[in-house]
Amino acid sequence: MESGPMISIGLPIALFIIMVGIGMTLTARDFHQVTVKPGGLVVGTLAQIILMPLVAFVLCWALSLPAPIAVGLVIIAACPGGTTSNLFTLLARGNVALSIVLTVSASLITILTLPFFTNFALRQYFGAEQEIVLPFARTVAMLSVIVLLPVVIGMIVRAWNPHLASRAEGIVSIFGALVLLILVVGLVWGMRDRIGELMLLAGPSTILLNLLGVLAGLIISHFCGLSRRDGLAVATELGIKNGTIGLMVTLTLMHSSEMSIPSAVYGVLMFPSGMLLAYYGRKKAREAGEEGAAEVG
């Protein structure tokens, strides 16, 4: 699946729309709630932008991954959560407001950290002699336009017409899932002759990255004294990634189908783990006597 007009133009536009949807879930009250008790925001953001890429580098070393798969794994690890993580946090009876703010905060910081970790991985796995580099300035500019700007637009729409924003948010979430599904199917079809080999190379590492992210979120939250609901939000944000950003970087900026495989595989495998986390969260909520509680974001 090469970077034709459908990818180089359509994918950034699709991601822009998805990020508008995230912005439409935000209100000033959400920011106020997490600033009163900022522990979850600090722990979750640092874990997303620092811990997850480090975990990816360890997996690349431990599994001796080929260079393109290793770089692709680092890229998806450095990606923030997305609207899907907010949905799974809701299903798990976690702190949805914290999940949304974590998604936005990590998305904004990712504008700088994603190109940094990507270029570090390129130097690490391809070597200095290779003429492969992610253009830092161009990447920061592109991520700013398709991450920061649409979030602001979404918040303005929410403030201007909450009812419209509420209705559009669900449509945008479905749209985001469909975009990811279409991209994954397209990648699999375009590389169908090698898909078995690539799945063997990328499958175990992406599964481990996903599971370690969820477990790290739960464990770190517990030792940092966060509440159960905050811990579920952090764990979901670490485990459920915005695979569309990973695909945009690998396909639109790197023009590499092989590097995109970890993002594509992760985009599929994160759903079963998300459902397991939702089941775990609901079970804990019932044990805590919150069976009838309604969580709203």
Side-chain angles (χ1 to χ4, degrees), residues 23-33 100-101 155 158-159 297:
M24 286 191 292
T25 65
L26 282 170
T27 64
R29 180 172 175 267
D30 294 326
F31 289 104
H32 174 71
Q33 285 179 329
I100 293 170
V101 177
M155 292 184 67
R158 174 68 179 263

Side-chain angles (χ1 to χ4, degrees), residues 1 54-55 98 118 132-133 171 209 239 255:
M1 191 173 186
L54 293 180
V55 171
L98 174 60
T118 301
I132 303 176
V133 66
I171 297 173
L209 180 67
H255 307 289

